[in-house]
Amino acid sequence: MADTTALVRAALAARTVPADVDGLTDEEPLKSLGLDSVALIALTAELQQKTGVVIDDEVLFAPDVSVAALALAVAEAVGPAAGEEEPAAHDPVPDGTATVEVVGLGVVGPTGHGASELWQSLLAGRAHRVPVPYGTASSHRVGVVPGSRDEEITSPDRLFSLLYAVAEEALGDAQVQDRTRVHLVVGTTDTGGNALAKALEAGPPPTGSAFVGTLARRAAAALGLGGTATVIGSASASGAVALGHAWDLLRAGEADEVLVIGADTVSESGFHGLASLRTLSPQGCRPFSSERRGIAVSEAAAALLLRRAGTGAGHPAHGRLVGYGASSLTTHLAAPEARGIEVAVLRAIADAGIDAAQVSFVNMHGPGTKRGDVAEVEALRAVFGDRLSRLPLNSSKGVLWHCQGAAGIIESQVCLLSLAHGTLTPTTGAEPADELFADLDIVREPREFPARYALSVSCGLGGVNTALVWERA
């Protein structure tokens, strides 16, 4: 166990005063070094990156956790060294290393229908926007599907119709032959929205579409899917968290195919809720601009069909999901926390089994809020160090605006398309540049850039932070 003890000590020395680590015995609690819970999480993410071992939270957050305890946890997970006795055999279980491929894409939103329209619109910096469709005197606009009428945008069934459209598109793209094997995970911020409002106005007790908890089951039945049906609600990171849940199902061997959908409408309650938090800007999302003032929202839905490699025939892979990380950390409901984003990114990179130096570019959450952009950059500086100034960064929200629960999946599609085309999409709305980001390589024009790994970051109210690592097919 000497090697793992040395590894733990080296990781500690990189995060605190080396002399203090040298003076610490193997059995002495790490709390004597003044490490907080976030520092401990970052430490274990680094150990996971180097060893592939996930340290259980019960070990990590034990009051007396020590160098010896962490080293033992790593050593036991890695297995016996040469010459040591093998442990008793157990029934085989999935090893969590399955290759997860993206075989189906579906998207609809302010850029139109389909991945091709999404790609061309991002390159050109165009999207469809209309005044807020609720008859209120407001200078605000929202992103909607081109050609949509107000009565369609505010329809009680709008969320379901958007979801159903991208589900069919992704299933068709993947050439799925047996839908009874497909599981469904839906990420959304919707809590009933337009459907609940219309039901309450009508008088009788609301049923059916007014309850978003039934959304996945209704969609699975309509689509003929035979697997589990789950709804994920994690604020603006809902789509990304849904991908993480699907990732776990596939690696655990509990599913071979999972259809993951992020979907949201521009509901009246949602719009005014964000307005009450003073996060909305009439100018829309302006990531990294000195004139950024807040977000604007769009209706959208996006779908990815994930498949364990070797478990089905169909469309060639668009790319691979290789790492996922998340954290729940904030000191304020609506204020971002740089350290929480850092932990999510570290976990995703470690989960992917790569080094930070191998990340080719970052599609940032980049909402265009005063504090959000600063916190995200601070987190990335902590992860990538001096290399951040040479790492291409972009945000899709200058075109898409904030697609809420669909954002994490649409922006993941942007990463996959960028990897496939060898081109980075520009950050629309980033001018005039903020001097705070003057040293960063923010992509402002379409750029040819062959890449292997892309990092996508998504964050939500309440301190939900996520990161996904995508690999070129």
Side-chain angles (χ1 to χ4, degrees):
M1 202 170 76
D3 290 344
T4 53
T5 299
L7 188 64
V8 171
R9 285 187 168 277
L12 279 170
R15 296 187 169 276
T16 186
V17 180
D20 292 346
V21 177
D22 290 341
L24 188 77
T25 67
D26 288 350
E27 287 74 27
E28 193 173 352
L30 297 184
K31 63 184 179 183
S32 63
L33 295 175
L35 297 176
D36 61 15
S37 59
V38 175
L40 286 173
I41 292 171
L43 170 68
T44 56
E46 181 177 341
L47 291 173
Q48 180 184 348
Q49 183 175 319
K50 294 181 181 301
T51 65
V53 170
V54 178
I55 297 175
D56 192 279
D57 285 348
E58 290 187 6
V59 174
L60 178 62
F61 295 120
D64 58 348
V65 63
S66 61
V67 170
L70 291 179
L72 180 61
V74 172
E76 288 180 341
V78 169
E84 294 183 4
E85 184 179 349
E86 289 282 351
H90 297 278
D91 292 335
V93 296
D95 62 6
T97 60
T99 298
V100 175
E101 297 177 334
V102 180
V103 294
L105 304 179
V107 61
V108 63
T111 58
H113 293 260
S116 177
E117 284 295 318
L118 171 65
W119 180 248
Q120 295 301 324
S121 295
L122 288 170
L123 293 177
R126 65 170 185 262
H128 186 64
R129 292 144 189 174
V130 299
V132 177
Y134 297 109
T136 55
S138 172
S139 59
H140 290 272
R141 294 179 299 158
V142 291
V144 300
V145 179
S148 299
R149 303 186 307 274
D150 283 0
E151 56 266 31
E152 293 174 315
I153 299 167
T154 60
S155 165
D157 290 322
R158 185 63 165 178
L159 181 65
F160 186 86
S161 64
L162 293 175
L163 182 156
Y164 187 86
V166 298
E168 285 288 6
E169 184 181 356
L171 289 164
D173 183 36
Q175 301 170 22
V176 172
Q177 301 299 315
D178 182 4
R179 294 191 178 192
T180 63
R181 300 173 59 250
V182 178
H183 299 249
L184 176 64
V185 184
V186 176
T188 183
T189 70
D190 199 299
T191 56
N194 294 331
L196 183 57
K198 291 290 174 63
L200 291 173
E201 288 174 5
T207 59
S209 62
F211 295 102
V212 76
T214 67
L215 180 64
R217 291 206 310 273
R218 291 173 56 221
L223 293 163
L225 308 184
T228 57
T230 306
V231 174
I232 300 286
S234 294
S236 297
S238 295
V241 175
L243 283 167
H245 180 65
W247 171 240
D248 288 339
L249 290 175
L250 291 160
R251 292 204 301 176
E254 296 179 17
D256 291 331
E257 294 179 315
V258 183
L259 178 61
V260 190
I261 301 175
D264 258 309
T265 63
V266 181
S267 71
E268 187 171 12
S269 59
F271 178 84
H272 290 298
L274 289 170
S276 71
L277 293 173
R278 304 179 70 180
T279 61
L280 295 178
S281 167
Q283 285 73 46
C285 299
R286 302 281 301 279
F288 316 116
S289 168
S290 61
E291 297 180 355
R292 67 190 188 279
R293 296 292 182 270
I295 68 169
V297 294
S298 293
E299 64 171 6
L304 295 177
L305 197 293
L306 305 183
R307 177 182 292 157
R308 282 165 54 94
T311 59
H315 194 290
H318 294 284
R320 289 178 284 274
L321 175 58
V322 294
Y324 171 73
S327 72
S328 180
L329 175 65
T330 189
T331 54
H332 187 279
L333 173 65
E337 183 77 44
R339 293 209 296 176
I341 301 171
E342 176 193 354
V343 167
V345 171
L346 284 170
R347 283 177 164 172
I349 293 172
D351 197 32
I354 63 174
D355 295 323
Q358 293 176 266
V359 173
S360 308
F361 69 92
V362 182
N363 184 277
M364 298 176 64
H365 181 63
T369 61
K370 279 292 185 183
R371 297 180 64 178
D373 290 0
V374 171
E376 189 173 5
V377 168
E378 181 183 336
L380 294 180
R381 288 191 194 279
V383 173
F384 294 102
D386 293 340
R387 181 174 176 253
L388 186 64
S389 63
R390 304 184 301 278
L391 186 65
L393 310 173
N394 64 2
S395 170
S396 307
K397 289 188 175 67
V399 172
L400 297 169
W401 287 0
H402 201 323
C403 296
Q404 309 167 86
I409 298 183
I410 290 185
E411 290 162 16
S412 290
Q413 284 197 26
V414 175
C415 289
L416 291 166
L417 292 168
S418 292
L419 291 169
H421 288 283
T423 301
L424 303 182
T425 56
T427 305
T428 300
E431 302 293 346
D434 191 323
E435 292 183 0
L436 289 172
F437 313 124
D439 65 316
L440 301 180
D441 182 14
I442 296 172
V443 180
R444 302 178 189 278
E445 299 289 340
R447 181 189 303 181
E448 289 188 14
F449 190 80
R452 180 176 179 183
Y453 293 110
L455 176 71
S456 176
V457 179
S458 291
C459 306
L461 292 175
V464 184
N465 309 293
T466 64
L468 295 143
V469 180
W470 299 96
E471 184 181 16
R472 184 184 68 236

